[in-house]
Amino acid sequence: MTDTDQQLANADKKNFETSASAITVKLVYFAWVRERVGKGEETLSPPSEVRTIADLMVWLGARGPEYADVFEAKKDVVRAAINQNHVPPQTSLEGAREIAFFPPVTGG
Amino acid sequence: MVVRVQTEDFDVGAEIKQLTAGRTDIGAVATFTGLVRGGTASGASIQSMTLEHYPGMTENELARVEAAAHDRFPLQASLIVHRIGELAPGDNIVLVIAASPHRRAAFEAAEFLMDYLKTKAPFWKKEAGANSEAKWVDARETDQAAQARWQAQDFD
């Protein structure tokens, strides 16, 4: 391996480490999710092992009783959106800037 | 194709007039208006209903629902208006208008727009009674079924 190769390998490693670190994402809550959590929005940086909406709900559920009241107690009912599009729980958080949690919709 | 989310009331007649103004190609206009009921399914009376929504996503979802209706039916014009904020029994909540050369597409498109809106558009209703704590309205499985019916037809 030449010095240049070594430098490239190091650069790659560094990039990987950067991408593996926590993402920062805006979370927004609506209706009884907002009321139970006690706020309408917040910005959080979940750890890198949180890869999907389902992972994020487990992680949020461990943040305190008000979160557990939604993300554990109501985990089968709560719906999610990434960047304002409805998504199922197994969806990856990659590219997520805004993640919303809310009850099933009741408009019309 | 127009969608609006607003606190103000709407006038169905005025909306039809505006949608069809200057056109002679439209042969059928179907409208649906949803109103606030004064009582719940279990018989409790309702004092007010408050509608919350997800600004931005609501408009996107309504536009998507409308585009899907235009893909599916020969529509010439359409309108969706949905109110937000605090409403009283008897107040208008939602209006859909579908215009087409013939009645069947207009009727069906209005129903399709409502069925999709009910399961996709991020609105939430909270009902307050006279002497009881305000409660969030639960989603109904029948609304899911009504929307799924259109998808089932795609495979007929």
Side-chain angles (χ1 to χ4, degrees):
Chain A
M1 192 181 262
T2 65
D3 286 353
T4 315
D5 285 339
Q6 190 57 55
Q7 279 165 8
L8 284 172
N10 286 342
D12 278 346
K13 189 160 175 261
K14 198 156 178 248
N15 284 339
F16 177 74
E17 281 166 2
T18 309
S19 68
S21 69
I23 58 158
T24 297
V25 69
K26 181 183 172 189
L27 298 176
V28 288
Y29 310 122
F30 293 97
W32 54 253
V33 173
R34 172 177 52 73
E35 289 181 346
R36 288 180 180 215
V37 171
K39 61 186 97 171
E41 62 174 79
E42 61 187 325
T43 300
L44 294 175
S45 300
S48 55
E49 16 348 325
V50 173
R51 293 191 178 91
T52 65
I53 288 288
D55 294 344
L56 182 60
M57 289 177 69
V58 170
W59 182 74
L60 285 168
R63 283 177 62 82
E66 70 278 29
Y67 288 89
D69 199 21
V70 173
F71 297 104
E72 280 178 26
K74 292 284 187 178
K75 67 177 191 297
D76 297 331
V77 182
V78 172
R79 302 285 187 267
I82 294 181
N83 303 337
Q84 305 193 349
N85 292 299
H86 291 289
V87 293
Q90 65 274 21
T91 308
S92 162
L93 303 185
E94 216 176 299
R97 298 177 303 278
E98 182 173 292
I99 299 175
F101 290 105
F102 44 76
V105 302
T106 55
Chain B
M1 299 204 290
V2 183
V3 304
R4 292 200 323 257
V5 179
Q6 62 188 43
T7 51
E8 318 84 76
D9 195 13
F10 49 79
D11 176 334
V12 182
E15 298 291 355
I16 296 173
K17 215 173 232 175
Q18 199 181 331
L19 204 70
T20 57
R23 298 188 64 159
T24 55
D25 56 331
I26 293 172
V29 172
T31 75
F32 172 85
T33 309
L35 294 85
V36 180
R37 276 186 303 269
T40 65
S42 59
S45 80
I46 288 165
Q47 197 93 348
S48 69
M49 173 176 280
T50 305
L51 275 136
E52 177 172 332
H53 80 124
Y54 184 173
M57 182 169 170
T58 307
E59 290 81 357
N60 293 343
E61 283 297 322
L62 291 177
R64 212 172 295 173
V65 165
E66 206 173 31
H70 280 254
D71 280 348
R72 191 174 183 120
F73 304 100
L75 292 182
Q76 295 166 309
S78 61
L79 173 72
I80 304 176
V81 183
H82 205 297
R83 296 182 69 193
I84 50 168
E86 192 178 321
L87 303 174
D91 281 354
N92 292 325
I93 306 176
V94 62
L95 171 66
V96 307
I97 305 182
S100 177
H102 301 287
R103 73 180 184 286
R104 183 162 301 281
F107 276 135
E108 288 191 348
E111 196 172 12
F112 176 94
L113 286 166
M114 278 309 302
D115 286 346
Y116 268 73
L117 180 156
K118 280 210 159 259
T119 55
K120 300 281 185 193
F123 291 100
W124 300 275
K125 287 176 183 150
K126 192 176 198 180
E127 294 172 338
N131 303 305
S132 57
E133 204 188 328
K135 276 180 68 178
W136 291 101
V137 174
D138 283 329
R140 290 153 48 124
E141 275 176 31
T142 50
D143 290 335
Q144 273 304 338
Q147 190 236 304
R149 187 173 56 106
W150 295 101
Q151 286 168 323
Q153 281 179 18
D154 290 341
F155 302 102
D156 282 354

